């Protein structure tokens, strides 16, 4: 396994301790691990391209690792009553649709700018929710919830745009 692929796999696997820490109420350590895991997303792609080691496996694993990390942490937060369940459902539904659309597309459908921004906003929202839970006196709950609403809105918008791009790609291929 290449180093970039190992970083990507680590991102997905680090959701396990994040979920465990959320479940035990240690939001500050969960936040630290979550942010560290999310930071690997900024490293794996450029590292793979610089080394000339970008692989189809890595290209498929990278967005999946993002989805696992974000949805897993958000679901754990929802179970603890820190995040609303509707946000988990909407984000998960969009991500499942994206997987299906990409699987059926005649050509590769990479993430657009809105999809990349969606991932960043999701990560920031989850981190803010963890910070609000770790330090309630800081008064971050309103900001965290606002970021989550914005993340869900961008998630849905980017999902619609992905479906439209897929339809256009399918029409162009015919």
């Amino acid at each position: 396994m290449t180093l970039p692929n190992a970083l990507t796999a680590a991102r997905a696997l680090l959701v396990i301790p994040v979920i465990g820490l959320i479940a035990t109420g240690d939001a500050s350590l969960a936040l630290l691990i979550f942010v560290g895991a999310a930071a690997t997303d900024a490293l794996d792609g450029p590292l793979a391209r610089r080394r000339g080691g970008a692989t189809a496996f890595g290209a498929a694993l990278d967005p999946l690792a993002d989805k696992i990390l974000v949805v897993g942490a958000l679901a754990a937060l929802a179970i603890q009553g820190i995040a609303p369940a509707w946000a988990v459902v909407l984000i998960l539904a969009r991500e499942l649709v994206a997987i299906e659309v990409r699987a059926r597309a005649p050509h590769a459908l990479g993430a657009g700018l809105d999809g990349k921004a969606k991932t960043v906003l999701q990560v920031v929202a989850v981190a803010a929710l963890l910070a609000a839970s770790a330090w309630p006196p800081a008064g971050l709950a309103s900001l965290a919830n606002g970021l989550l609403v914005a993340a869900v809105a961008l998630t849905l918008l980017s999902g619609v745009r992905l479906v439209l791009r897929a339809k256009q790609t399918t029409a162009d291929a015919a």
Side-chain angles (χ1 to χ4, degrees):
M1 178 177 282
T2 66
L3 177 59
N5 288 349
L7 286 171
T8 303
R11 182 166 63 254
L13 292 174
L14 283 170
V15 76
I16 296 167
V18 169
I19 290 170
L21 290 164
I22 291 169
T24 61
D26 193 346
S28 57
L29 188 52
L31 173 62
L32 181 66
I33 294 171
F34 178 83
V35 169
T40 66
D41 195 25
L43 300 173
D44 56 8
L47 187 58
R49 285 186 291 278
R50 189 173 63 226
R51 291 179 163 204
T55 64
F57 174 72
L61 183 62
D62 184 73
L64 183 59
D66 295 339
K67 291 167 184 26
I68 291 168
L69 180 65
V70 168
V71 173
L74 192 56
L77 288 166
I79 289 168
Q80 294 300 314
I82 298 166
W86 61 262
V88 179
V89 170
L90 291 174
I91 289 173
L92 179 60
R94 184 272 186 206
E95 301 304 358
L96 292 173
V97 167
I99 290 168
E100 178 69 16
V101 165
R102 286 190 170 106
R104 292 180 180 267
H107 305 291
L109 283 172
L113 185 57
D114 56 347
K116 292 177 187 227
K118 173 258 323 171
T119 300
V120 170
L121 191 51
Q122 287 175 346
V123 166
V124 169
V126 170
L129 287 165
L130 285 166
S133 179
W135 304 292
L140 299 172
S142 293
L143 173 64
N145 287 317
L147 286 168
L148 182 60
V149 168
V152 170
L154 185 54
T155 297
L156 296 175
L157 175 64
S158 69
V160 168
R161 290 176 45 92
L162 177 65
V163 169
L164 293 175
R165 273 194 307 138
K167 284 186 178 190
Q168 182 63 42
T169 302
T170 303
D172 290 347

